Amino acid sequence: SEGSATAPQRHQTLRATIDWSYQLLSEAQQAALRELSVFRNGFSLDAAEAVMGENDPTTSALKDLASLADKSLISAAIENGVQRYRMLETVRQFAHEQLETDPAIEDVRERHARWASQLVLDVWPAMYDSRISEVASALATEASNLQAANLWASTHDKSTSAQILLGLACHWYLSGQFTRAREDVEGALNSETRQARRSILLSLAARIEAYAENLDAAMANAEAAARDIDQLSTPPEQAWVLATQQLSYFMSARRDPTLMLPVAKRALNVAQQLGEAPAAVLAFETAADGYCWNGQTAEGLSLQEEALRIARNSASSDLADHAYGHAIYNLMLDPVSRGRRPASHVEEWTALTGASSSGSNLNSNDWLPWIYMQQGDLDGANRELEAIGGRKREGYNRTIYQLVSATV
């Protein structure tokens, strides 16, 4: 047809226009455009500064970006409160072709991989403080860049590749894409030789398998991660590994809940080291779970209240959400508290975080069916069960569904 016949001509015209604009740039600006072509799906100023070389000592990355934007070769917009730059794919492809003939290409790709690795390193500690939404947002924004960076790192720097794959695996895990998460965490384990880092990767692997309902694999990975816990450099890392081990036992709790008590005692020791640090919430929750599941509810609820106290004093709604979810659940294990304190905790939690039962990933809401059930409101319990069924973390919620629906 006429349209298909003219398509190559339009493409050639567009390419000629881009080439013309490129030739009008200074050598430093041309180099900047070539270097920026390694990014996928946009980049921040910090990312650009990390990847761009010192092409002109009299200018800066910000000035180069402003100049390229003035010439319509890149665009700039505020996304999630941060300035982010983008390049039309036709422009990026042209610039990347120029990069492929540039002797500096390997240096540019290495800087891109180093930046990606550092991004994961900077974001990851938020996992220990239960700032899940913060981690999910950062990794989702840069997922395409992490994948692109790993193409170079996987064949040039195994350690850097392992760090990038940790971020990618976490991104897929938080997105509920467990098959892709499993593939990337296995790739990271194949590249990582440092035992402390392997413990973190094994813990993530355990969480992936737990939510995918491969419980034997989850327990095996969690136990392997905790085996060398003393080699982990910080108490927050130790708290997260122990919390993962406890999670794997919780998901299989009907087999042998006594497995949770030794983990609880180790977690309590870590919690005492952490003091008022946000990661102490995770450690106290892990300890509380073990005691409550073994019938020592007085001790467990006391530890849970300590977790709540620290969470209330934090500035993190994610941390408060996590703590209230655990508190509600553990209170349901206490015959004295059922139907009264859990309900008041939901009210308090909702007032504090502004959340409601229609939320998509709110742990406290996952326990609302238990509360309705204990109050004798079976219609309410069924309604909340249906709401849970539509959320992302299917393995976790399916376990709750099975436990509650058996009673309802």
Side-chain angles (χ1 to χ4, degrees), residues 101-177:
T101 62
D102 189 332
I105 184 172
E106 286 302 303
D107 290 338
V108 176
R109 286 174 170 167
E110 181 178 3
R111 290 197 295 268
H112 187 222
R114 300 286 185 202
W115 162 79
S117 175
Q118 187 62 48
L119 171 77
V120 176
L121 195 63
D122 292 342
V123 167
W124 185 257
M127 290 292 287
Y128 307 142
D129 300 346
S130 299
R131 289 177 282 150
I132 305 301
S133 61
E134 180 180 320
V135 177
S137 176
L139 295 179
T141 298
E142 301 295 0
S144 295
N145 275 316
L146 294 178
Q147 289 176 295
N150 192 57
L151 290 176
W152 180 89
S154 62
T155 57
H156 291 78
D157 188 331
K158 294 296 186 182
S159 179
T160 297
S161 176
Q163 187 70 32
I164 295 171
L165 285 171
L166 169 65
L168 280 169
C170 187
H171 163 64
W172 301 126
Y173 158 67
L174 293 176
S175 302
Q177 300 184 55

Side-chain angles (χ1 to χ4, degrees), residues 290-356:
Y291 282 102
C292 286
W293 262 94
N294 282 274
Q296 301 179 44
T297 52
E299 296 89 334
L301 293 178
S302 175
L303 296 170
Q304 186 64 63
E305 285 300 318
E306 185 64 10
L308 272 175
R309 183 188 66 78
I310 297 172
R312 291 189 192 103
N313 292 334
S314 75
S316 170
S317 59
D318 276 357
L319 191 63
D321 170 56
H322 199 277
Y324 274 100
H326 269 264
I328 292 165
Y329 165 66
N330 283 327
L331 283 165
M332 299 309 287
L333 295 176
D334 179 20
V336 177
S337 302
R338 287 180 180 176
R340 178 174 55 83
R341 287 179 65 194
S344 67
H345 272 63
V346 168
E347 293 171 0
E348 181 183 339
W349 168 81
T350 301
L352 183 67
T353 63
S356 68

